[in-house]
Each structure stands twice: as C-alpha cells, then as structure tokens.
Amino acid sequence: MKKLVIIPAYNEAGNIVKTVTDVVENAPSFDYVIINDCSKDNTLEICREHGFRVVDLPCNMGIGGGVQTGYLYAKRHGYDIAVQFDGDGQHNASYLEQMAEKLEREHLDMLIGSRYIDKKGFQSSGARRAGIKYFTGLIKLVTGKKITDPTSGMRMVNRDIICQFAEDYPKDYPEPESVVTILKQKKHVEEIAVEMNAREEGTSSISMYNAVYYMIKVSLAILIAAIRK
Amino acid sequence: MSLRIQLVIGIITVICILAICNTVRKKKLDLRYGLIWIIVGVCVILLDAFPGVLGWLTGLLGIELPINMLFFMGFCFSLIIIFSLTKTVSDLAHKVKRLTQELALLKRDMENGEE
C-alpha cells in the first residue's frame, strides 16, 4: 500500500516545517509531497533547506489547481491512497494512520476528517459554522447523505478517486463540490471524527470579502454537480 | 436612409473588413476568431445595401423604428461575441492550469534525477 500526504502550501513559511515534522513523525507509513503554489514568501527556500519533497508550481493556481497537482503526482507515482493535509498546521497527522486503516477496512472511496462529530478542538467562528451547516443541508438535499464537515480540507481517497481528481477537480473552493460529484456516482463516502487546531500563522483562504462569492459559487457548483451526468 | 449615409457606412465597413483581413494576413489574429467579425461586417454591408430588409425585419418583430432594430441586433451580436470570448478564456485557463501542473511535476522529476 503506497500512501501519500498532499500538503498544499501558499505562503506557509511559518507553518510548513511544523506540518511536515508532524506528518513524518506521526504518520510514518505515508510519503508526503508539498505543493508550493507559487508562494510569495520563502516557503520554497525553507522546503529546499530542509530537503523536503516539494513540487513547485511556476504560477499561482489556487487551492484547487494546487491540490490537483498533488493528485496528479499520486496518480503518476502509483499511490493507492492519497490524503489532503493543510500546510497551515490546522490538521493533526496523528489521525492519518487510523484514517487509512478505516478507508481500507471499510472499502471507502473517500474519508473526510470532520470537526463536527465529536465537536472537539477548533470549531471555527459562528458565521462559518452557519455556512458549513447550510452546505451540509444542501448536500443532504441533493444527495441524501449527511456530511457534517463538507468544507474540511482533510480528506483521504482511494486510487479510483485519485485518478478521477487528477483529471477533473474544481478550481476554487473545491471541497463541497467534489464531495457532491463523488456522492452522485454512488461512491462510498464516510466521515471520521478529528480535532483541528486554530491556524497559528498566515490567513485563511476565505476572507469576509470573499464570503458572499464563496456562498453563491459553491451553492451553484453543488447544484450543477448534482445534475451533471 | 439617404444615399449619402448608405455610402459612408458602406465605405467604413469595407475599410473595417479589409483591416480585419489584413490583421489575419499578418497572423496577428487567428482566422477562427476573425471570422465572426468578418461575418458581422458582411451583414452590415448587406443591410446597408438593402435597407428594405431592415425595415421588413423591424416590422416582423413589432419594433417601431428601424434604428432600434439595428441597436438590438448590434447588442445581440456583441453578446454572442463576448460569450464566445469567455468560453475561449475558460478553455485557455484550463490548458494553462494543466501545463503549469505538468511543468511543476517535470521539474520535480528532474530534481529527483539529480539527487
């Protein structure tokens, strides 16, 4: 079983060493690859200094294009399992081994790390939680499946989905949309309780300014994904 | 419509079409994208040469003045062209994304070879 951790990083100079150390120490059966999405700070230099395995995108692709590069890498190098893992220190690598075990044991196509099953750790602000609840409802409406944390960036997929994501992955705010796409194909998606941390450095990809665009775009994307054949 | 304005419009349109053809000839514009502009130009010349057609169309759609029909047609043409442009931009963005990803992975493979 070859397993890969995809770490998308944009301006994560302050977090990247900690994140990679976390993965190497707490998920020893996984390989990792950092996708440097043309960071403006010295993320790339730090990675090179430490000898981290990094794929350096020459232009900024946004989170979707960056993560997709990771899936493309996983596909080309014959990985059986790939998991997205944020480069900003929000995720805990200690869950990865048990996630992989669950994915294999239950023959899942996708396993999402959810903050809202045990409701422990960082729970995000009230407004965001309301937004996430809304997406949970919308996804339930179009697919019949309850996903408590559809915006979670911590998602593990099998080879089948790796190949699919390598070919086709949404450009921006990809998480809820791609879950719907997968669910619509009658794939097996489950969630597992994880704890996340508040980000320590850097800023979230979703600012207040973008919130309106985010809600409209993702809602539309979910509806379109639901009627797509 | 007076003969004078017909002539003026006709001459301007012919000059425009020639300019477009020249841009295509110098390979600054793909014929694929130039084509729609040439078609628009030909349509303008036809309407200019046979103003009766415009009057007939105006009556057909129940529009009062032929000039409004002309504005309406111009608006529709513009929308079609803008839409085809946004489609082209999407297509290009998709290709650029794939190229960037391939390039990044290729760089990675090369670094691997050096290690």
Side-chain angles (χ1 to χ4, degrees):
Chain A
M1 261 312 181
K2 282 180 78 182
K3 293 175 272 189
L4 179 73
V5 182
I6 300 166
I7 307 172
Y10 178 64
N11 296 345
E12 299 291 1
N15 298 310
I16 195 71
V17 175
K18 209 164 36 175
T19 304
V20 173
T21 314
D22 185 24
V23 168
V24 171
E25 282 176 5
N26 296 313
S29 72
F30 283 80
D31 294 337
Y32 71 88
V33 64
I34 300 162
I35 311 294
N36 176 41
D37 193 8
C38 208
S39 294
K40 292 197 196 86
D41 64 4
N42 57 345
T43 305
L44 180 66
E45 285 71 21
I46 291 175
C47 291
R48 293 243 195 272
E49 249 171 56
H50 288 76
F52 294 159
R53 185 179 298 118
V54 57
V55 169
D56 180 40
L57 289 166
C59 309
N60 184 266
M61 302 262 87
I63 182 71
V67 167
Q68 189 183 36
T69 313
Y71 286 116
L72 208 55
Y73 181 93
K75 184 188 173 191
R76 300 269 166 89
H77 291 80
Y79 282 96
D80 305 297
I81 290 177
V83 58
Q84 269 170 249
F85 193 83
D86 284 1
D88 58 12
Q90 283 201 82
H91 297 162
N92 290 311
S94 49
Y95 292 104
L96 293 181
E97 300 287 357
Q98 70 185 78
M99 280 177 79
E101 200 219 328
K102 185 178 164 77
L103 189 92
E104 270 184 78
R105 193 182 55 226
E106 299 179 17
H107 301 286
L108 303 175
D109 294 292
M110 181 189 264
L111 181 59
I112 302 169
S114 169
R115 285 163 282 183
Y116 303 122
I117 295 177
D118 284 356
K119 299 203 166 65
K120 276 196 261 172
F122 177 62
Q123 295 282 301
S124 206
S125 68
R128 280 191 194 167
R129 269 213 309 282
I132 291 167
K133 275 234 166 68
Y134 158 74
F135 285 128
T136 299
L138 190 60
I139 291 174
K140 179 95 199 277
L141 191 71
V142 299
T143 66
K145 174 93 185 163
K146 188 177 180 195
I147 303 290
T148 60
D149 199 353
T151 62
S152 168
M154 195 176 184
R155 325 146 84 206
M156 188 174 281
V157 299
N158 65 7
R159 176 82 191 163
D160 189 21
I161 307 293
I162 289 176
C163 294
Q164 188 175 329
F165 281 172
E167 290 316 312
D168 182 28
Y169 198 67
K171 241 180 145 79
D172 51 359
Y173 312 129
E175 289 86 7
E177 179 182 349
S178 54
V179 171
V180 172
T181 305
I182 296 294
L183 280 171
K184 272 283 153 186
Q185 299 167 4
K186 307 255 182 287
K187 302 280 188 196
H188 203 167
V189 180
E190 285 301 332
E191 288 188 295
I192 187 169
V194 298
E195 255 182 70
M196 291 190 191
N197 315 312
R199 62 165 48 245
E200 286 159 31
E201 287 188 51
T203 51
S204 165
S205 57
I206 304 166
S207 64
M208 267 327 272
Y209 176 78
N210 288 328
V212 174
Y213 169 75
Y214 180 85
M215 296 304 288
I216 294 172
K217 194 251 161 180
V218 176
S219 299
L220 262 179
I222 287 174
L223 293 176
I224 290 171
I227 57 171
R228 193 177 274 150
K229 258 280 142 260
Chain B
M1 208 155 57
S2 70
L3 187 63
R4 189 184 297 168
I5 189 69
Q6 267 181 291
L7 275 176
V8 170
I9 292 175
I11 290 167
I12 291 176
T13 313
V14 168
I15 291 173
C16 287
I17 291 179
L18 288 178
I20 294 165
C21 289
N22 195 37
T23 322
V24 175
R25 187 183 65 83
K26 284 194 284 189
K27 303 203 166 160
K28 283 187 178 159
L29 177 66
D30 266 347
L31 184 57
R32 194 173 125 82
Y33 301 112
L35 206 56
I36 183 133
W37 293 110
I38 294 172
I39 291 170
V40 171
V42 171
C43 288
V44 172
I45 287 182
L46 286 177
L47 287 177
D48 184 47
F50 308 104
V53 178
L54 189 66
W56 176 75
L57 269 175
T58 309
L60 196 69
L61 289 184
I63 295 171
E64 297 234 337
L65 292 171
I67 187 69
N68 285 340
M69 180 66 202
L70 205 59
F71 283 138
F72 177 65
M73 282 169 65
F75 181 65
C76 289
F77 268 133
S78 311
L79 280 188
I80 292 168
I81 290 173
I82 293 169
F83 181 71
S84 77
L85 277 179
T86 45
K87 246 174 67 186
T88 308
V89 169
S90 290
D91 183 43
L92 285 176
H94 185 73
K95 285 175 182 165
V96 167
K97 183 177 84 169
R98 204 13 71 106
L99 284 173
T100 311
Q101 292 172 334
E102 288 291 343
L103 181 63
L105 290 176
L106 210 60
K107 271 200 311 191
R108 173 71 221 157
D109 287 346
M110 280 172 66
E111 283 164 25
N112 247 350
E114 283 163 18
E115 274 165 18

